[in-house]
Amino acid sequence: MDNYIICKTCVMDTKSDPSMVIEANGKCERCNMYEKTVAADWNHGRGHEKELQELLAKIKKAGESKKYDCLIGLSGGFDSTYVLHMAVKEWGLRPLVFHVDSGFDLPLGVQNINTICNKLGVDLKIAKIDQEDMRNFQLAMFRTGLACLDIPQDHAFVNMVEQFAVDNNIKYILNGENISTEAFTNPAYWDSVYGGGTTDDVFIKDIIKRFSPAPLKNYKLTNTYRRKLWLPYIKGVKVVKPLNLIPYDYETIKKTLHDEYGYIAYPQKHFESLITKFLEAYWYSKRFGYDVRKHQLSSLVVTGQITREEALQRLSKPSVTEEEGREMFKQVADFLRISEDELQGYFDMPLVKGDEYKHGSNWLIKLGVKIMFLLGKEKRVRK
Ligand SMILES: [Zn+2]
């Protein structure tokens, strides 16, 4: 690639984020944003004991005389599993566990969910997305030519968990997101050029109208205003991220989860679901040149979990074998009830830019995120 650049501190490069720039001190913009705005205040989760105790007290108070004091959306992924463990074993909370089954759950993910819930003796509610809707929406997304193909599953995850909390009068949702593993989000470039927002209902409705084989019947949409304003300020439901208030060490956590619950960690983040595994290990890298491991591993490097050399070593091997990639290709085509040739046709179509489609105006939210980041309230580097 012409003018290829890789950051000397993390492993972000211009292949995965063509908008990346190296600043005067030789580090990329993300590394500098992390150091200036996130690192000092976060301090690797140390020194937040008082903040954590205050948060736990609020959660417990909100749950007084109720069966549950919080809701945990459990994907089966590493971080949501860890937050469940901490909530019950260390913090004395009484969570209701909520899992959204998109139809793409992989057997290991299901096994991990059932094992920890059984061992902890917590109530697990599983809600399955209408499979006809899921198929139609997912097929519509493949037909767009865009990169943001995880929206049907992600949108349902956030909306169903949040709606469930509202319907059941649970005031706190514990989220496993954290700085250690997610200091760097997906490059904003991906969404701004070949995508659209996960909670942009104007965009989603346009895609469904143009490409879905049938209108969706039971799949409910949310939007950014509903999530950021209606949910916390009208319904009083707060989404909190307590893993940022404690130290986080991946290897220690992995051992704890394995020893206590028989939890088996996945070789890569988001590999508990067939569709995210397929998109992140196969489709995005082969069709767009986007390797999600670059920002995922960069997060681990800048937060001191692994060395840059180890990240480069992991990147030198593909996420999955060619054979595993083709097997997933077949499974996804089967889910969509289309031939592999048809799916290959979407893979081979010219790249389509997101501005071919309608988008909602979210300038107020973007401004809000910017202000929150400058105030130190938004912890992740969104760039
Ligand atoms: Zn960097």
Side-chain angles (χ1 to χ4, degrees), residues 6-12 20-22 26-32 184 298 302 308:
I6 181 164
C7 176
K8 298 283 187 292
T9 307
C10 67
V11 293
M12 289 305 295
M20 187 192 84
V21 288
I22 300 291
K27 294 181 180 180
C28 77
E29 207 178 341
R30 278 187 185 79
C31 281
N32 284 325
F184 294 177
S298 289
V302 298
R308 183 170 182 275

Side-chain angles (χ1 to χ4, degrees), residues 61-257:
K61 186 157 178 25
E64 264 175 4
S65 73
K66 293 183 191 167
K67 192 170 180 193
Y68 309 105
D69 50 25
C70 59
L71 184 69
I72 295 179
L74 185 65
S75 64
F78 193 80
D79 291 330
S80 59
T81 303
Y82 181 50
V83 90
L84 171 60
H85 159 78
M86 289 302 291
V88 177
K89 283 284 183 77
E90 302 292 331
W91 300 333
L93 297 176
R94 295 171 290 120
L96 172 58
V97 180
F98 188 73
H99 174 68
V100 177
D101 176 2
S102 66
F104 286 116
D105 280 357
L106 288 170
L108 180 57
V110 174
Q111 179 190 312
N112 278 334
I113 290 170
N114 287 328
T115 313
I116 189 169
C117 289
N118 283 336
K119 288 218 169 160
L120 286 175
V122 290
D123 289 342
L124 168 66
K125 163 84 183 162
I126 298 176
K128 187 149 189 161
I129 303 173
D130 182 306
Q131 289 296 279
E132 195 62 25
D133 286 347
M134 188 63 201
R135 180 248 173 190
N136 288 337
F137 189 2
Q138 191 65 63
L139 180 55
M141 285 307 309
F142 274 103
R143 287 174 170 170
T144 62
L146 297 172
C148 52
L149 305 188
D150 52 358
I151 288 180
Q153 179 170 274
D154 276 2
H155 189 96
F157 281 1
V158 294
N159 189 34
M160 289 169 77
V161 170
E162 290 170 359
Q163 189 60 48
F164 191 80
V166 171
D167 292 345
N168 290 277
N169 196 25
I170 299 175
K171 299 299 183 191
Y172 283 89
I173 299 173
L174 266 57
N175 186 312
E177 274 181 21
N178 66 89
I179 297 167
S180 297
T181 57
E182 295 166 303
F184 294 177
T185 61
N186 281 7
Y189 179 91
W190 296 4
D191 280 351
S192 66
V193 178
Y194 297 117
T198 304
T199 52
D200 181 348
D201 60 337
V202 174
F203 170 66
I204 291 172
K205 282 176 188 163
D206 190 39
I207 302 298
I208 292 168
K209 191 172 153 210
R210 292 204 209 183
F211 297 110
S212 175
L216 305 191
K217 291 199 224 61
N218 298 304
Y219 188 110
K220 299 278 190 303
L221 296 181
T222 184
N223 58 55
T224 312
Y225 291 98
R226 188 179 157 87
R227 298 194 61 222
K228 301 292 181 189
L229 299 174
W230 175 81
L231 185 77
Y233 299 110
I234 307 294
K235 302 311 286 185
V237 175
K238 305 274 193 291
V239 180
V240 295
K241 300 171 184 175
L243 295 187
N244 285 334
L245 303 176
I246 55 171
Y248 182 108
D249 180 75
Y250 180 84
E251 290 302 328
T252 310
I253 297 168
K254 186 175 159 187
K255 185 169 183 325
T256 302
L257 295 181

